[in-house]
């Protein structure tokens, strides 16, 4: 032994010498110099053991690389060691460092360490490298709170967990080359506030599987915004962080919308089920009411008889019998009915029969209720699964996705057929099952599991497989198998767990008491057998009479997985399923006889034939796969079993109104037979009111004080005015009356029993002073507020023992029982059921916790300063209270001001009725009060920092109380009783980004325009019904998510979605569906330029009710291309419309306005009154869609003639019967016939100047037309039919055309004014044709060639004897006389006429110049055209001229013509716009040629 020690000593000495040589030290002087050495290094060889270190007591740094060292030793004498490197050695444990407490840096990489241990004492450690070891779990780092750098790369770590949470100073973390697969693990790193650098896929290491998932970087940067470097990338820039933040925010908005859609679908399903339930309850409720009424009538008669005769053959000695539905206590008084021995027996027999029928109908009610609860629970379960799946998608940033299939999906039918082929009806025959119905198939897209499956299959198994044939044919080993969780052995819902995490390992299944492998099967019955057996056992243990479904396992879920079976072997009989027993197998199997549920070996029966087709002939096996990574879940199938007896299914037959095959319920005659049993009671007259005489008569008493029992059943009473005078009354029955309140029942000290069933009670408020009341029946009324009614009874009936509140429409019926028991602690029976002590105690405890006191604040508050970085849709208050525990020690006295530190408060479902004791929570930021009974928002005035507030499912009617919360950015008030959005409150919330007010009673969105910062608005399931509310949203320019689902507007408004998308172009999602680009384009095509009442209100700022007051409407330059002013009743007072400078091509919806008299459509593109029909074959898809929209014009027009060759339009229906003035200038009109103007039969003034008209036509129906303006067109001639119907035309304008001849003017017998300036009239003979106009008084031919002739004026004056004005100059008597003289003298052409005054007897002196027309209106223009006829016939009657009013000037006739023409041109060039007043202005027409003098007044405004 001594020799071996000497050899060891010599070996250690050699090692120390090598150590000294490697560091340049003298071994001989090491004893003297060793204490001064602080650093040693040994590389690659020569140091197999850690010896000789005691010679260096001041050693601070030790580096050992590439040695064969298996353990750390010899450091006991190095307490000052601060940095240690033992790398690329053979270490298996972290050990031997217990004395190195100054250690700051520890490098142990490239070893064989499998566990992090023995580091608890090294609290000064700042750097730890353990990369390239065999570590599988992160642990043992709890005390290293100074750790700044941790390298765990290239290990076998799969989970991070919360093991790093204490290392709050960690700045650099390297986890590359591990097996981390889940984003959830990375999320946990957000707890490291100082983390700056994170590496998960270093170039030197293989990336973690999580790094291969989509949105990996986005997920990491969102949860860890403080990172400076991620892997090899610099992510410190602000833009990168903002991009990840925006991406996640959009994702959260999207999934919040999806979750709300799922919840809305549940509400829709629940409403449908409730409707079915009400339908099913109609018959039993009606029958129960009828039977109860008859029963109470019999009780009344029995009581009357007993009172009269004071004797009875049957008594109730110990009080009333047990109550059946509808029964009440009868009087305790016994009576003798010996005068008719059979009557009493008949009454009791009939009462027993009625009670029996009531029992059966009551069971029917219970049955319907059980069906409803079962169906609702299934719907809720489906909703919860979908919500869980959606949240899973969100948390994995889309790397897990669930796709609900339909028949059009290519994968749906194969999966559907697969399950049907694996079902055999014979295997379920014992349960009466004949088939299955597949309700839903969901495809699972889990990128992480698929990558794991493919990696395991291709890189591990096939690469290691020796057989090349096996590697080539491995696909034959892939199979789709079924899995159903065994509910008896599984503690969690595996339907939710497996799609995310995959199947459990074989070890976990073994720990659950199952085989040590993943259990699967190719048979539905084999897979379902454990679940069916468990459910049947549970049903037998808790059998309930309400349950009528003979198959409690009717609904099921099954997971279909892709499985690699590989080398598979049959299970040897008696051998447990374990990998150790089958080392070369990937899976094992055994055959199953599903008929008997027994396992058979391979020598026994190998298959089970089914009746469902050839696919069912496969051998039914149970498989066990050892490696869970070779099982990939791909589908979830929801199904239900179908039974042969169609009376048994859960879904009732609504047509027959039956649920079961009970013959007593199906035979309606049974009730009739019972009701017709003897004795048949005669109808009693109903009392409508009570007085003293009536009370004495009913009670058969002499004075009111003697009445102790009063039965007023079956009357029509709604008041009990005299009842309080019955001070001795003990028993009161008022069932089957019309009471809505019981405020007359007060201060009755002896009253013990009240039956108020079958009335219309809405409240118990007013009930007072009933100290001895013991029993109260309130069934079948209309009570809704359990808390309020219980409070009244607790105060005014403190000794109440029995209370029945069934069949009332309670708000939140699930809480009614506990609410009542918590306040009425004296109750022994509630709803005819004995109150258990445990139940009463729980209710009292719940009631005590319904107030906000210090205890509630301590339990439900948090003090976190920041919202957690979590992809959760919970409110911040809910999330913080879920993730962290309360910071308070309930056993210690609280420090002063502790409430000021509270930032979070979550008081959901605490039965709170009032917000109190919150005034000291001055720093509260996030609060949630969901599912309570709060009626008013109050007590928050001091919570000025509140950012999020949730008040869902309360009883709030108004938003008052929020005005001071200026920091609020998220408000949720779903499921309350709001009727409006208070603009004054919303105006005080400038930072509100999120508002949810679903399931309220809101009828208008007026006020929402005040919240300009709003991004998300959820206002579904309210009473929004008008398009005006959409216009309120146009002011909310930042709105990107809107949900209006469940409002009447969706059904009322055709093309609702397209309309909303058009009005709100910034929307990204509407009603839970993303808005596509094509939707926006289609919306613009259909609704762009559409004039609607909402647009009118928006432009003019009118409220909805003021539209009826509008008389004048002007909307110029608004890009309007169609008019849709419906309902037209809103505009019945509208008289004038001005839509100049728009894009109208027809009158569109204007034709339906009933009272419009003046219409101005200048500067549009009018083609006709109604649009011409277009062939559908030539329309694009958008045009066809446009064609379908109401009021677009298409589909509303009458047959019209589309070309000039069309015949007369007399057969067309007249339109716009009140229209008198129409302006259509500058519309590019070329064909008057196409306009269909003849349909405007009441038209009196028509303005068509500035168009491209070449022929006057299409005026045949305008018999009342008095003024026609056709200036500045392309008219060359007048046809025979141009003015065939214009017999009353008074004024005609044809200025600036191309007219050469004046033909076919004969019909214009009433024409007084004719303007022909700037045409091409050349010959004075054309003017002679005007002699056919007998009424012509004014004519203008300026700027025509004929006007340049020196004698055209005298000639015209002579020809037209009634002419008063020519070319804008008055024709005086002197001028007419001179013309006659000139004609008589017949001077030579061109001769001059001397200027001289001529005085003739009887004539006024002639003047030598023309008198201009000044100060004279042209019949007032169009003045008063709105109030009476235009241009009355007597307006132009000839009147004597007072020439003394005109000054005399001397000019030649040529000079006069030139001056007139110059004046006309000047007016045309400088013409000003017409004056505008009111809403509708007179159109901005160019100055017409009829106003040839500057002094001529302009037409008055319309």
């Amino acid at each position: 032994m001594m020799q071996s020690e000497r050899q060891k000593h010599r070996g250690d000495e050699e090692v120390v010498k090598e150590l000294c040589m490697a560091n340049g030290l003298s071994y001989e002087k090491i004893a003297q110099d060793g204490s001064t050495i602080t650093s040693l290094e040994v590389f690659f060889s020569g140091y197999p053991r850690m010896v000789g270190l005691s010679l260096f007591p001041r050693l601070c740094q030790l580096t050992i690389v590439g040695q064969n060292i298996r353990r750390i030793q010899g450091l006991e004498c190095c307490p000052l060691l601060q940095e240690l490197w033992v790398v690329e050695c053979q270490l298996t444990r972290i050990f031997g460092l217990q004395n190195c407490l100054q250690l700051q840096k520890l490098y142990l990489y490239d070893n064989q360490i499998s566990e992090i241990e023995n580091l608890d004492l090294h609290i000064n450690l700042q750097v730890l490298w353990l990369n390239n070891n065999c570590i599988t779990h992160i642990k043992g780092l709890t005390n290293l709170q100074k750790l700044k750098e941790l390298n765990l790369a290239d290990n076998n770590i799969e989970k991070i967990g919360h093991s790093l949470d204490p290392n709050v100073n960690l700045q650099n973390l390297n986890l590359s080359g591990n097996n981390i697969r889940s984003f959830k693990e990375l999320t946990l790193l957000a707890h490291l506030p100082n983390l700056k650098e994170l590496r998960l896929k270093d170039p030197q290491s293989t990336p973690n599987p999580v790094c291969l998932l989509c949105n990996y970087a986005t997920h990491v940067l969102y949860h860890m915004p403080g990172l400076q470097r991620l892997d090899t990338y610099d992510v410190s820039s602000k833009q990168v962080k903002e991009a990840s933040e925006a991406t996640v925010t959009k994702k959260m908005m999207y999934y919040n919308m999806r979750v709300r859609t799922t919840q809305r679908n549940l509400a829709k399903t629940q409403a449908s089920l409730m409707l079915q339930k009400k339908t099913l309850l109609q018959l039993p409720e009606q029958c129960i009411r009828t039977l109860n009424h008859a029963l109470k009538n019999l009780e009344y008669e029995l009581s009357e008889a007993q009172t009269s005769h004071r004797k009875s053959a049957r008594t109730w000695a110990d009080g009333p019998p047990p109550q059946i539905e509808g029964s009440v206590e009868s009087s305790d008084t016994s009576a003798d009915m010996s005068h008719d021995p059979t009557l009493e027996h008949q009454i009791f027999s009939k009462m027993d029969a009625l009670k029996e029928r009531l029992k059966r109908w009551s069971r029917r009610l219970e049955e319907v209720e059980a069906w409803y609860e079962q169906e609702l629970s299934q719907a809720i379960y489906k909703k919860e699964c979908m919500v869980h799946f959606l949240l899973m998608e969100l948390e994995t940033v889309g790397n897990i996705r669930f796709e609900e299939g339909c028949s059009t999906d290519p994968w749906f039918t194969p999966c559907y057929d697969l399950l049907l082929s694996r079902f055999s009806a014979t295997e379920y025959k014992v349960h009466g099952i004949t088939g299955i119905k597949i309700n839903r198939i969901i495809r699972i897209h889990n990128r992480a599991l698929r990558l794991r499956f493919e990696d395991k299959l291709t890189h591990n198994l096939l690469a290691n497989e020796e057989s090349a044939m096996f590697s080539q044919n491995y696909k034959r080993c892939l199979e789709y198998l079924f899995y159903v969780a065994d509910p008896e052995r599984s503690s969690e819902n595996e339907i939710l767990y497996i799609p995310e995490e995959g199947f459990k390992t074989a070890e976990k299944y073994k720990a659950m008491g199952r085989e040590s492998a993943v259990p699967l099967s190719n048979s539905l019955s084999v897979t379902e057998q454990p679940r069916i057996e468990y459910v049947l056992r549970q049903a037998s243990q808790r059998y309930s009479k309400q349950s009528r479904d003979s198959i409690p396992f009717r609904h099921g879920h099954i997971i279909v997985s892709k499985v690699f079976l590989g080398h598979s072997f049959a299970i040897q009989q008696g051998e447990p399923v374990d990998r150790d027993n089958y080392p070369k197998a990937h899976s094992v199997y055994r055959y199953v006889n599903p008929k008997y549920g027994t396992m058979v070996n391979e020598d026994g029966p190998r298959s089970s034939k089914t009746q469902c087709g050839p696919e069912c002939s496969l051998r039914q096996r149970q498989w066990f796969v050892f490696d869970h990574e070779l099982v990939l879940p791909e589908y979830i199938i929801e199904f239900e079993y179908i039974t042969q007896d169609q009376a048994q299914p859960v879904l009732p037959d609504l047509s027959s109104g039956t649920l079961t095959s009970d013959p007593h319920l199906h035979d309606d005659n049974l009730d009739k037979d019972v009701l017709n049993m003897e004795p048949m009671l005669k109808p009693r007259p109903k009392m409508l009111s009570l007085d003293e005489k009536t009370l004495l008569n009913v009670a058969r008493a002499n004075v009111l004080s003697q009445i102790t029992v009063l039965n007023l059943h079956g009357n029509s009473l709604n008041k009990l005015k005299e009842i309080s005078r019955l001070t001795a009354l003990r028993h009161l029955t008022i069932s089957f009356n019309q009471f809505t309140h019981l405020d007359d029942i007060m201060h009755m000290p002896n009253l013990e029993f009240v039956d108020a069933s079958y009335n219309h009670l809405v409240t118990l408020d007013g009930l007072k002073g009933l100290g001895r009341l013991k029993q109260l029946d309130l069934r079948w009324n209309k009570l809704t507020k359990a808390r309020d009614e219980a409070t009244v009874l607790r105060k005014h009936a403190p000794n109440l023992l029995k209370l029945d509140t069934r069949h009332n429409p309670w708000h939140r019926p699930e809480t009614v029982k506990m609410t009542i028991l918590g306040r009425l602690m004296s109750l022994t029976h509630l709803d005819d059921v004995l109150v258990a002590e445990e139940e009463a105690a729980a209710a009292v405890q719940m009631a005590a916790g319904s107030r906000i006191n210090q205890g509630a604040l301590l339990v439900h508050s948090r003090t976190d300063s920041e919202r957690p970085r979590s992809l959760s849709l919970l409110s911040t208050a809910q999330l913080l209270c879920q993730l962290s525990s309360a910071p308070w020690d309930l056993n210690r006295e609280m420090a002063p001001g502790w409430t000021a530190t509270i930032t979070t408060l979550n008081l959901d479902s605490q039965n709170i009725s009032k917000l109190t004791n919150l005034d000291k929570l001055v720093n509260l930021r996030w609060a949630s009060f969901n599912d309570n009974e709060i009626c008013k928002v109050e007590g928050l005035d001091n919570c000025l920092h509140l950012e999020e507030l949730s008040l869902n499912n309360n009883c709030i009617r108004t938003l008052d109380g929020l005005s001071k919360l200026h920091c609020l950015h998220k408000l949720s008030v779903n499921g309350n009783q709001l009727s409006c959005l208070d603009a004054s409150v919303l105006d005080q919330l400038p930072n509100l980004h999120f508002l949810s007010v679903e399931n309220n009673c809101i009828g208008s969105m007026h006020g929402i325009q005040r919240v300009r910062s709003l991004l998300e608005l959820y206002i579904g399931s309210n009473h929004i019904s008008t398009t005006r509310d959409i216009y309120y949203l146009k002011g909310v320019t930042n709105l990107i998510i809107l949900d209006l689902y469940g409002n009447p507007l969706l059904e009322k408004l055709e093309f609702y979605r397209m309309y909303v998308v058009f009005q709100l172009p910034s929307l990204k999602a509407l009603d839970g569906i993303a808005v596509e680009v094509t939707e926006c384009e289609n919306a613009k095509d259909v609704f762009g330029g559409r004039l609607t009442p909402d647009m009118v209100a928006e432009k003019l700022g009118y409220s909805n009710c003021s539209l009826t007051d509008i008389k004048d409407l002007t909307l110029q330059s608004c890009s309007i291309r169609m008019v849709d002013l419906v309902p037209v009743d809103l505009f019945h007072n509208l008289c004038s419309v001005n839509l100049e400078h728009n894009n109208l091509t027809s009158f569109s919806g204007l034709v339906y306005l009933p009272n419009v008299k003046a219409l101005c459509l200048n500067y549009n593109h009018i083609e006709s009154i109604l649009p011409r029909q277009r062939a559908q074959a030539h329309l694009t898809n958008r045009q066809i869609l446009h064609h379908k929209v109401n009021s677009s014009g298409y589909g509303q027009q009458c047959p019209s003639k589309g070309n000039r060759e069309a015949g007369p339009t007399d057969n067309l229906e007249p339109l716009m019967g009140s229209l008198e003035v129409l302006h259509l200038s500058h519309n590019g009109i070329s064909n008057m016939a196409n306009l269909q103007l003849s349909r405007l039969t009441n038209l009196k003034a028509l303005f068509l100047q500035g168009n491209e008209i070449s022929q006057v036509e299409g005026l045949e129906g305008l018999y009342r037309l008095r003024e026609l303006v056709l200036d500045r067109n392309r008219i060359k001639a007048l046809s025979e039919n141009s003015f065939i119907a214009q017999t009353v035309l008074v004024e005609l304008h044809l200025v600036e055309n191309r007219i050469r001849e004046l033909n076919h003017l004969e019909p214009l017998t009433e024409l007084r004014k004719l303007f022909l300036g700037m045409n091409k009239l050349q010959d004075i003979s054309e003017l002679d044709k005007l002699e056919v106009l007998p009424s012509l008084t004014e004519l203008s031919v300026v700027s025509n060639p004929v006007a340049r002739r020196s004698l055209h004026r005298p000639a015209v004056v002579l020809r037209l004897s009634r002419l008063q004005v020519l070319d804008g100059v008055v024709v005086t008597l002197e001028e007419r006389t001179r013309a006659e003289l000139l004609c008589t003298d017949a001077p030579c052409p061109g001769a001059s006429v001397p200027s001289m005054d001529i005085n003739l007897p009887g004539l006024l002196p002639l003047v030598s110049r023309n008198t201009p027309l000044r100060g004279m209106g042209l019949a007032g223009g169009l003045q008063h055209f709105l109030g009476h006829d235009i241009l009355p016939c007597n307006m132009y009657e000839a009147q004597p001229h007072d020439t003394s009013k005109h000054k005399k000037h001397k000019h030649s006739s040529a000079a006069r013509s030139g001056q007139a023409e110059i004046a006309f041109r000047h007016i045309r060039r400088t013409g000003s716009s017409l004056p505008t007043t009111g809403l509708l202005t007179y159109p901005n027409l160019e100055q017409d040629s009829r106003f040839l003098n500057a002094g001529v007044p302009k037409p008055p405004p319309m």
Side-chain angles (χ1 to χ4, degrees), residues 24-44:
L25 302 176
S26 173
Y27 176 73
E28 291 75 12
K29 299 181 180 181
I30 194 65
Q32 296 83 15
D33 299 339
S35 60
T36 62
I37 302 301
T38 59
S39 175
L40 291 176
E41 297 177 351
V42 181
F43 293 90
F44 305 124

Side-chain angles (χ1 to χ4, degrees), residues 106 304 318 475 612 674 694 779 854 920 940 1285 1359 1394:
L106 179 59
E304 289 291 302
D318 299 325
K475 290 187 178 179
C612 296
V674 172
T694 305
R779 288 170 299 164
Q854 179 172 322
K920 295 183 180 180
L940 298 173
R1359 291 285 185 183

